[in-house]
Amino acid sequence: MSEPQPIIEVRDLTRRYVSHGQTVEALRGIALEVGQGEVFGFLGPNGAGKTTSIRIMTGQLAPTSGVARVAGCDVVGDRRRLHRRIGVVFDTPNLYDAMSGRQNLRFFADLYGADKGRIPALLSRVGLEDAAGRRFKTYSKGMKQRLSLARALLPDPQVLFLDEPTSGLDPASARQVRTLVREVRDAGKTVFLT
């Protein structure tokens, strides 16, 4: 019987960029594997390349060299298919202020080609069913982060990337995020967490 393939596989990942005439090496030779259904903690100090790594693994940034495969997709050559298989939440929520929570989820469901019928359950899952009609700009930081999680879960992703999802949250909101991470893992999904 063969060994199962990792859901995330990164080999010799490097990213360089030029800043003020100097070459900066944000990543140097990163290699890792993450199995299906794991919660993988990617730790390091500020400036260590965690966000850069996630941006590469989610197809938002091309590596200078190396290879990354996520959910069976090459992150450079197969981005369209990759984006249907992953969810991403950065530490700063990026939803539309003028739209309500529900409208944001409907908009992104259209964008992802996701089932809009999942929206009420997702709003309930993140504890925002009572605030779903309010504009996003009126939400607290914790509420914004929870709606971002609901948006990331819309396409029913195989892999959920969370970049410092509890940063700046009060203890109760951070606990809700951790509970959601366990639920996602218990559903057989992979969570890549910084």
Side-chain angles (χ1 to χ4, degrees):
M1 194 163 180
S2 66
E3 191 77 18
Q5 288 292 105
I7 192 94
I8 300 173
E9 187 173 13
V10 173
R11 296 280 176 257
D12 298 320
L13 202 61
T14 300
R15 174 64 186 185
R16 291 182 202 94
Y17 61 92
V18 177
S19 176
H20 304 326
Q22 297 211 321
T23 300
V24 176
E25 193 168 52
L27 301 176
R28 182 186 319 142
I30 291 180
L32 59 90
E33 288 185 356
V34 181
Q36 177 72 37
E38 286 185 37
V39 174
F40 184 86
F42 194 52
L43 305 176
N46 291 341
K50 299 180 303 291
T51 299
T52 299
S53 297
I54 285 181
R55 287 191 173 137
I56 290 172
M57 286 185 267
T58 58
Q60 298 173 58
L61 185 65
T64 303
S65 63
V67 176
R69 294 187 61 77
V70 175
C73 303
D74 177 83
V75 299
V76 174
D78 204 4
R79 288 194 319 227
R80 175 171 269 157
R81 195 165 59 111
L82 172 69
H83 291 161
R84 291 189 178 108
R85 295 180 178 196
I86 64 172
V88 183
V89 177
F90 285 104
D91 64 339
T92 304
N94 55 352
L95 295 162
Y96 292 100
D97 281 341
M99 291 183 182
S100 70
R102 185 179 296 107
Q103 288 169 328
N104 265 292
L105 293 184
R106 285 181 182 155
F107 173 80
F108 283 98
D110 284 340
L111 191 64
Y112 296 143
D115 178 10
K116 288 183 190 172
R118 299 185 70 226
I119 292 173
L122 286 170
L123 285 166
S124 177
R125 189 173 186 187
V126 298
L128 291 174
E129 60 271 27
D130 292 339
R134 285 178 35 202
R135 286 185 179 193
F136 182 70
K137 71 179 176 182
T138 69
Y139 283 17
S140 69
K141 181 168 184 169
M143 293 168 76
K144 287 178 177 182
Q145 197 67 342
R146 286 183 283 142
L147 190 66
S148 294
L149 270 165
R151 188 217 52 228
L153 293 170
L154 266 172
D156 194 22
Q158 294 175 16
V159 181
L160 180 62
F161 288 91
L162 303 175
D163 191 9
E164 300 186 27
T166 59
S167 176
L169 297 185
D170 63 80
S173 294
R175 193 170 28 258
Q176 285 178 308
V177 169
R178 287 191 297 274
T179 298
L180 277 167
V181 167
R182 283 190 296 275
E183 289 173 4
V184 169
R185 181 216 44 217
D186 291 348
K189 312 296 184 183
T190 300
V191 180
F192 190 97
L193 177 71
T194 67

